[in-house]
């Protein structure tokens, strides 16, 4: 009977032993089935048309799920500050350094790893390591080639207050890039000279447009002769309409305030919950992403070794003014100046 009992026990024990042996694999399988992919929430001041395809590439290659909220750069920065510790944002992708500086100044960005910061020149990243530039954009004067040649254009952006430009110019005062440019002027010239320039420009009755795209379209249609925009909008029109599109970019000959180079950049929010946030930053600084900015959006790649699009004037050949991008965060003072000048 004992032997019979032993045989029965052995027969009972075999499935248990087998179950124990398989348990780690079964648990692993259940864990895999139940595991959620890492998720990163991005607040993007860059529009979906520009960066959406690139973010999709990251999601597909990494398996990280992205939740992207698109909006105006300044508005999203304000939202993050209002949301405080409850903000769902992990990564902030800004159109300009000013908004990144505002979040850094408010203590809402984490310090980035040195290895990521070192990928770009010091002038294109936070001095405290709190944000890093991803792509460069030059402020230019776009002009209608049927009415003007470079010889007709002034040597400084200050000279557009001359009455001969009355009724011939376009700008976008509500656009973040324009406002960051005015902030740079304040740093270079001081508030009073900047105010005088704004009043002089207003006296010349520039047409106000919603954004840079609308300005370049107006130039092509002959509504205006010159417009103040970022350099890359022109190349999208050339791509769609061909070389005959009658608009080109103009750079001032010296280190003029009109030749500002700003950056689109990213920072990781201090309350970020996703460990995958840095993987996105790393991807945006990768050769693949930098080539995307060079070839798809006509922006300047900022990582060494990635050439700009051959149609662009090399970054090193643009005579830039001595503006520290870390100090572009003082947007409120710029907005006040624009309101006082009757422009906003």
């Amino acid at each position: 009977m004992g032997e019979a009992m032993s045989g029965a026990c052995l027969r009972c024990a075999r499935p248990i032993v087998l179950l124990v042996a398989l348990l780690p694999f079964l648990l692993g399988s259940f864990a895999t089935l139940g595991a959620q992919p890492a998720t990163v929430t991005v607040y993007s001041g860059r529009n979906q048309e520009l960066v959406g395809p690139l973010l999709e590439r990251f999601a597909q290659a990494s398996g990280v799920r992205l939740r992207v909220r698109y909006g105006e750069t300044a508005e999203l920065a304000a939202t993050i500050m209002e949301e405080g510790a409850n903000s769902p944002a992990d990564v902030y992708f800004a159109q300009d350094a000013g908004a990144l500086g505002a979040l850094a100044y408010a203590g809402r960005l984490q310090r980035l790893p040195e290895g990521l910061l070192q990928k770009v020149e010091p002038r294109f990243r936070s001095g405290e390591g709190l944000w890093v530039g991803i792509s460069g954009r030059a402020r230019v004067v776009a002009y209608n080639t049927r009415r003007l040649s470079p010889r007709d254009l002034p040597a400084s952006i200050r000279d557009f207050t001359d009455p001969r430009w009355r009724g011939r110019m376009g700008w976008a005062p509500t656009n973040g890039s324009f406002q960051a440019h005015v902030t740079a002027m304040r740093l270079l010239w001081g508030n009073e000279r900047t105010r005088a320039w704004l009043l002089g420009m207003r006296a010349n009755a520039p047409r106000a447009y919603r954004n840079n795209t609308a300005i370049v379209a107006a130039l092509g249609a002959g509504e205006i002769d010159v417009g103040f925009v970022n350099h890359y909008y022109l190349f999208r029109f050339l791509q769609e309409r061909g070389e005959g599109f009658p608009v080109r970019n103009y750079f001032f000959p010296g280190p003029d305030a009109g030749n500002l180079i700003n950056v689109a950049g990213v920072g990781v929010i201090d309350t970020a919950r996703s460990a995958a946030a840095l993987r996105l930053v790393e991807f945006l600084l990768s050769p693949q992403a930098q080539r995307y900015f060079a070839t798809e959006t006509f922006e300047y790649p900022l990582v060494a070794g990635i050439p700009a699009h051959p149609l662009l004037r090399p970054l090193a050949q643009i005579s830039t003014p001595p503006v520290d991008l870390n100090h572009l965060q003082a947007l409120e003072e710029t907005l006040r100046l624009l309101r006082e000048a009757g422009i906003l």
Side-chain angles (χ1 to χ4, degrees):
M1 183 168 180
E3 188 176 336
M5 284 290 292
S6 296
C9 287
L10 283 173
R11 284 194 295 275
C12 293
R14 280 180 189 137
I16 295 172
V17 170
L18 184 62
L19 181 62
V20 169
L22 291 174
L23 193 55
F25 301 99
L26 291 172
L27 287 174
S29 299
F30 293 149
T32 301
L33 288 172
Q36 296 296 318
T39 299
V40 174
T41 300
V42 182
Y43 279 21
S44 176
R46 310 226 60 198
N47 72 50
Q48 188 169 7
E49 182 185 355
L50 278 178
V51 302
L54 182 63
L55 296 178
E56 286 175 16
R57 287 185 199 178
F58 167 74
Q60 289 170 3
S62 66
V64 173
R65 188 167 61 182
L66 291 182
R67 293 186 182 130
V68 186
R69 174 175 176 176
Y70 292 99
E72 293 293 329
T73 286
E75 172 195 335
L76 290 175
T79 300
I80 289 168
M81 287 197 259
E82 287 170 9
E83 290 172 340
N86 295 321
S87 176
D90 296 304
V91 174
Y92 176 55
F93 196 171
Q95 187 179 1
D96 67 80
L100 284 161
L103 282 187
Y105 185 75
R108 294 307 315 272
L109 298 179
Q110 299 181 18
R111 182 173 172 82
L112 296 171
E114 199 63 23
L116 294 180
L117 295 167
Q118 292 293 332
K119 288 179 181 290
V120 307
E121 292 180 45
R123 63 174 171 151
F124 297 137
R125 65 183 192 235
S126 159
E128 297 177 332
L130 298 174
W131 54 264
V132 63
I134 298 297
S135 59
R137 59 255 305 277
R139 293 295 290 177
V140 296
V141 176
Y143 64 97
N144 183 300
T145 57
R146 291 176 181 152
R147 295 180 181 163
L148 296 169
S149 75
R151 290 191 301 276
D152 301 315
L153 293 163
S156 170
I157 196 169
R158 286 176 297 188
D159 299 329
F160 282 105
T161 56
D162 188 294
R164 77 187 180 97
W165 295 105
R166 183 174 175 79
R168 302 170 67 187
M169 301 183 290
W171 63 6
T174 60
N175 182 265
S177 294
F178 174 83
Q179 294 170 357
H181 195 179
V182 174
T183 303
M185 291 177 184
R186 290 179 40 237
L187 293 173
L188 290 163
W189 299 344
N191 280 355
E192 289 312 307
R193 284 184 66 192
T194 303
R195 183 198 310 274
W197 182 80
L198 290 170
L199 290 171
M201 290 291 289
R202 185 187 169 205
N204 274 342
R207 293 194 187 191
Y209 293 90
R210 187 168 60 88
N211 55 34
N212 292 288
T213 300
I215 292 174
V216 178
L219 284 163
E223 289 178 20
I224 50 177
D225 291 350
V226 296
F228 304 92
V229 296
N230 290 335
H231 77 277
Y232 50 88
Y233 288 92
L234 167 64
F235 296 97
R236 289 186 226 154
F237 279 87
L238 292 174
Q239 199 171 41
E240 292 172 5
R241 305 189 190 186
E243 286 295 306
F245 184 68
V247 180
R248 292 294 184 272
N249 287 337
Y250 172 77
F251 292 89
F252 297 98
D256 191 75
N259 287 345
L260 176 70
I261 303 291
N262 204 337
V263 298
V266 294
V268 175
I269 306 302
D270 62 331
T271 52
R273 294 168 177 81
S274 175
L278 284 176
R279 291 173 63 188
L280 175 58
V281 178
E282 186 175 18
F283 172 79
L284 293 172
L285 292 167
S286 70
Q288 178 188 354
Q290 292 290 296
R291 279 193 287 271
Y292 172 90
F293 289 114
T295 60
E296 302 293 328
T297 70
F298 299 98
E299 293 172 87
Y300 288 99
L302 297 183
V303 173
I306 309 298
H309 194 285
L311 289 177
L312 299 187
R313 175 180 292 206
L315 203 52
Q317 293 181 17
I318 301 173
S319 191
T320 57
V323 174
D324 185 343
L325 298 182
N326 286 279
H327 297 150
L328 292 184
Q329 83 279 2
L331 181 61
E332 278 306 314
E333 182 65 18
T334 296
L335 295 177
R336 186 182 64 79
L337 210 58
L338 289 167
R339 292 189 195 103
E340 288 177 357
I343 294 168
L344 287 181

